[in-house]
Amino acid sequence: QLQASGGGLVQAGASLRLACVASGRLYSSSVMAWFRQNPGKEREFVAATRWSDSRTYYADSVKGRFSISKNRAENTVYLQMNSLFPEDTAVYYCAKGSAYDTNFRAYNIWGQGTEVTVSS
């Protein structure tokens, strides 16, 4: 089970940090990812990290602004979002999969989503 938190309403240029706490064991092969979704649109890949090492992956739209990190001791993955744009507005979901993929269908466990609204 995954529990996401940290969303909110901010102005453009602000920062937010999302957190995703995983209950249960995370294996070394696990990949933790963040996706986002707006109404009527498909879930979009944002960032991912391998649980076992330091490899990280980002969508082009967030490179240089967002950073994914993890705290293994707390079974938590973070998404630090800086220089937010109004187009970053979405519901953000954390997800767990067994391999890195930018397609949301590759992930089998999802958090409940946390809403991020960026005003202009």
Side-chain angles (χ1 to χ4, degrees), residues 11-104:
Q11 290 190 328
S15 298
L16 276 176
R17 189 176 80 154
L18 307 183
C20 175
V21 181
S23 58
R25 185 175 177 180
L26 287 172
Y27 295 93
S28 59
S29 59
S30 297
V31 173
M32 299 296 293
W34 289 95
F35 285 78
R36 64 188 181 187
Q37 188 173 26
N38 280 300
K41 293 192 174 181
E42 199 162 88
R43 206 160 283 192
E44 173 192 21
F45 171 75
V46 175
T49 182
R50 295 183 185 275
W51 194 248
S52 61
D53 58 40
S54 60
R55 280 178 284 182
T56 56
Y57 310 89
Y58 297 95
D60 287 343
S61 59
V62 307
K63 275 180 186 174
R65 299 188 298 122
F66 291 12
S67 176
I68 188 169
S69 62
K70 54 187 175 280
N71 182 324
R72 290 198 190 88
E74 296 183 354
N75 258 23
T76 302
V77 175
Y78 300 98
L79 184 69
Q80 178 67 43
M81 306 186 295
N82 299 326
S83 302
L84 283 161
F85 301 149
E87 46 265 43
D88 294 316
T89 294
V91 177
Y92 283 70
Y93 298 88
C94 60
K96 185 174 84 69
S98 56
Y100 165 63
D101 201 306
T102 59
N103 190 322
F104 70 91

